[in-house]
Amino acid sequence: MKNILVTGGSGFIGANFIRYLLSETDYSGRIVNMDLLTYAGNPENLSGLDASAQGRYVFVHADICDAAAVKNAFEAYEIDTICHFAAESHVDRSIVAPDAFVNTNIVGTFILLEEARRHTDRLQRFHHVSTDEVYGSLGKEGFFSEETPYDPSSPYSASKAASDHLVRAYHRTYNIPVTISNCSNNYGPYQFPEKLIPLMILNGIADKPLPVYGKGINVRDWLFVRDHCRAIWTIIQNGRTGETYNIGGECEIPNITLVQTLCDILDEMVPPGQNRPRSNLITFVNDRPGHDFRYAIDSTKLKTELHWKPEASFETGIRQTVQWYLDNPDWVARVQSGEYRKWLTENYGERG
Ligand code: NAD
Ligand code: TYD
């Protein structure tokens, strides 16, 4: 493995993955980050990379749906490994405007697979990063395993399901050396504040309402982003070609309990605002249409076959995350003000 193409490396998990690769693994090859820098892609997520990145990190500002750009990058950088994160990733946006989800998540994945097909001679691995949401919703009991039938509820999860099927089909039909991982909800540094945890942290700090959908009884299985990155790297190195691995945090929490916990941590860590306790800010709002009730992952396969397990407890991971948002007010201010969008336009033109 000498030249890894990371798509969506300027987003939340992609940026954490590149940082992990550079600072915590013995990977010594080149990292090519292809990112369109949509609203969710932020070059600041990769600012201040350490000296080990010098000459090894390359940024390509491009759309994965642009076949010519993908071809150029493959050839210019002799790509032999792909880790595919790039996606539209927010369920609520997919309900309002599904178009971009179909384009990036399905067509974009297809374009990458087609390019991979032209390079089977040197391609060692095409790793597709996916979600547990492809399996649909669980009731009070049970877990998603790799054998659970797909049953997606939102345009987001349907588009990810479609991309998973394409990736698997390219393995069976063209023998592309793929692996797929389906992971539960992530949290950690650099997450865009439209997702539950960073939204609640930042609204809580700013004494703004904390909108909880429905009755707050929906359950998610939370995983610290570094543990997801470790799992992906483990699968890329040692996972069996053509296989799917589920990744979960063994950390099921109903939304209302999670928000209440965040309120308590903020009350402890942040100087008092007008609203104390912060739980006074919790506001129940209309439920999300098609809101999946519960996600819970069975990661037995990953644990037994590849000896991975989550390292961060929710208690340590969530405190580290709250601290990160407190320690990075400039990042937060720019993401919230849209100033980084101006920076993008100045540096990359209107396409940014
Ligand atoms: P994100 O929205 O934070 O980042 C997505 C990145 O992809 C951004 O940098 C964006 O600019 C880039 N991108 C979007 N469209 C593009 C295009 N057409 N061409 C090139 N780049 C494009 O998402 P995330 O939370 O980091 O998720 C990354 C991947 O992990 C996604 O595939 C998602 O489905 C999957 N996933 C996420 C979670 C989670 O909890 N966030 C859980 C499981 C799986
Ligand atoms: P989210 O972070 O959007 O992830 P996903 O929908 O992919 O699981 O939402 C996590 C849970 O939190 C989900 O059950 C919806 C709920 N939620 C709220 O209650 N309020 C909010 O403002 C948001 C963004 C999510």
Side-chain angles (χ1 to χ4, degrees), residues 7-15 34-42 45 62-65 84-90 100 103-105 108 128-133 156 160 181-187 190-192 194-195 222 228:
T7 69
S10 303
F12 163 50
I13 307 175
M34 178 179 286
D35 200 300
L36 181 59
L37 299 177
T38 66
Y39 80 95
N42 182 352
N45 292 355
D63 187 342
I64 56 163
C65 299
H84 176 33
F85 293 94
E88 288 291 334
S89 68
H90 189 42
N103 282 330
T104 291
N105 300 3
H128 179 59
V129 180
S130 193
T131 167
D132 60 352
E133 302 192 25
Y156 163 66
K160 292 296 291 187
S181 52
N182 294 87
C183 187
S184 62
N185 289 60
N186 283 214
Y187 68 97
Y190 303 103
Q191 188 167 29
F192 193 83
E194 64 185 353
K195 305 279 166 62
W222 293 97
H228 188 189

Side-chain angles (χ1 to χ4, degrees), residues 7 61 72-73 156 165 242 262 339:
T7 69
H61 184 214
N72 284 345
Y156 163 66
H165 289 318
L262 278 173
E339 200 179 300

Side-chain angles (χ1 to χ4, degrees), residues 17-33:
F17 180 74
I18 290 175
R19 288 180 178 279
Y20 173 76
L21 211 51
L22 286 168
S23 61
E24 296 194 57
T25 72
D26 58 6
Y27 176 70
S28 58
R30 179 158 53 189
I31 299 170
V32 180
N33 170 19

Side-chain angles (χ1 to χ4, degrees), residues 51-129:
S52 72
Q54 291 304 319
R56 293 211 288 135
Y57 171 75
V58 181
F59 178 66
V60 176
H61 184 214
D63 187 342
I64 56 163
C65 299
D66 179 346
V70 170
K71 181 170 188 284
N72 284 345
F74 257 78
E75 285 170 5
Y77 299 109
E78 300 183 335
I79 298 303
D80 53 45
T81 306
I82 302 168
C83 187
H84 176 33
F85 293 94
E88 288 291 334
S89 68
H90 189 42
V91 172
D92 293 333
R93 282 180 187 255
S94 83
I95 295 169
V96 178
D99 317 42
F101 289 74
V102 171
N103 282 330
T104 291
N105 300 3
I106 306 177
V107 179
T109 302
F110 163 72
I111 299 284
L112 290 168
L113 287 165
E114 277 292 275
E115 196 53 39
R117 187 151 82 89
R118 276 188 274 278
H119 297 282
T120 39
D121 49 332
R122 71 161 178 258
L123 196 72
Q124 295 177 30
R125 180 55 55 93
F126 185 119
H127 183 73
H128 179 59
V129 180

